[in-house]
DNA sequence: CCTGAAAATCGCAGTCG
DNA sequence: CGACTGCGATTTTCAGG
């Protein structure tokens, strides 16, 4: 599952995580490589599954989702299909992590209002007991994985 | 803070969230617009702060971060600077949300091993009591905000 | 929001160390 | 085998309508 990356690969990943739309020629300049060499490496990172995609990052508040919340769900039993169906349908659920601990699921939910959030939490409460925390702020700008050693 | 978006804007956001590197000409085809019109709209979404950036999405396991965890931190007192300093330094902390509730901070931490995670949690425990949940799996593929109404 | 032309970039050969 | 060069096709950018 793990791929061997040299420091050039990490530089490329750093640049593409900062600016995913940078042209390959400019990227080549930044990591001191030729355009074709950098293209080869990027393609390799993509096919090896290191880079899983490119995403525009959208400001939630700017598009009307004024409320962000973390909801933890205690889910008794093992029939997970009904929950998964809800996850598919409710696009307000941005992320769903299955974790260890009593609260088996941790969800990130974006809502337009508290009333809207309440409705979603009510739906989730049908599956088990929920704990909801409203997010005041994101205290870190975006950050992806960086080189672990040096 | 909120911007008015028509359905074409939402289509553009959808495409760019799915494939952030799609050429503007291809994007124009997909939303049935000319290249220059779609370029204008994309630039507008960027300058208005709707699109905050473009990111390559990197597979954590593929680059050696075998362990992902959610750590909640109960933080007594109000001097937050020392914690913020740690957040800057420890690049393994991918995300940090300040929330309501007893656990004022919710952090997403990527580690190369349980031993590595333990070291980071120990650092965090210097600030307050922590609750750690290891992530088994991400049960949703990437998903950003989508049109709320119609 | 569209057209159109110039400049930059991309993708694919072939070639070198 | 990984990195560089050259050329045609595509894309980006910017003018004007």
């Amino acid at each position: 599952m793990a791929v061997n990356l040299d420091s050039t690969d990490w530089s490329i990943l750093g640049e593409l995580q900062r600016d995913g739309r940078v042209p390959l020629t400019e990227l080549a300049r930044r990591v001191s490589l030729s355009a074709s060499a950098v293209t080869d490496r990027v393609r390799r990172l993509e096919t090896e599954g290191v880079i899983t995609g490119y995403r525009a990052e959208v400001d939630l508040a700017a598009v009307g989702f004024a409320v962000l919340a973390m909801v933890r769900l205690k889910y008794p039993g093992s029939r997970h299909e009904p929950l998964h169906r809800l996850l598919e349908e409710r696009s307000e659920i941005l992320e769903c992590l299955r974790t260890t601990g009593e609260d088996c699921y941790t969800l990130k939910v974006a809502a337009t209002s508290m009333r809207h959030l309440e409705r979603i939490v009510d739906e989730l409460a049908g599956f088990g007991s929920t704990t909801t925390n409203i997010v005041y702020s994101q205290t870190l700008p975006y950050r992806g994985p960086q080189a672990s050693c040096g």
Side-chain angles (χ1 to χ4, degrees), chain A:
Chain A
M1 202 61 189
V3 173
N4 240 8
L5 302 176
D6 63 19
S7 65
T8 304
D9 289 324
W10 277 111
S11 299
I12 291 172
L13 290 179
E15 290 297 330
L16 287 178
Q17 286 185 95
R18 258 194 336 108
D19 178 10
R21 265 183 95 84
V22 62
L24 294 174
T25 52
E26 170 62 19
L27 178 59
R29 273 189 287 276
R30 293 191 196 163
V31 302
S32 306
L33 237 58
S34 77
S36 62
V38 95
T39 305
D40 285 349
R41 278 175 181 262
V42 171
R43 295 286 171 268
R44 188 177 61 79
L45 292 169
E46 289 169 357
T47 59
E48 288 182 336
V50 174
I51 296 175
T52 56
Y54 301 89
R55 316 280 177 202
E57 193 179 67
V58 173
D59 185 298
L60 291 171
V63 297
F65 292 98
V67 180
L68 183 64
M70 299 300 295
V71 180
R72 300 199 303 278
L73 177 62
K74 206 177 294 189
Y75 197 82
S78 56
R79 295 199 326 290
H80 295 264
E81 302 83 20
L83 174 61
H84 288 193
R85 206 171 316 132
L86 177 63
L87 297 180
E88 302 269 336
E89 288 168 8
R90 292 264 120 253
S91 67
E92 295 95 332
I93 300 172
L94 300 182
E95 210 176 320
C96 176
L97 305 174
R98 190 169 175 201
T99 67
T100 61
E102 266 199 312
D103 303 307
C104 349
Y105 289 101
T106 299
L107 299 90
K108 189 187 281 186
V109 178
T112 55
S113 64
M114 289 304 290
R115 169 147 170 57
H116 184 190
L117 177 62
E118 184 179 13
R119 209 157 56 235
I120 298 168
V121 171
D122 280 347
E123 290 190 271
L124 288 168
F127 294 100
S129 76
T130 61
T131 307
T132 302
N133 296 97
I134 310 292
V135 175
Y136 286 128
S137 64
Q138 196 116 5
T139 66
L140 269 181
Y142 173 86
R143 191 191 259 173
Q146 296 177 28
S148 32
C149 43

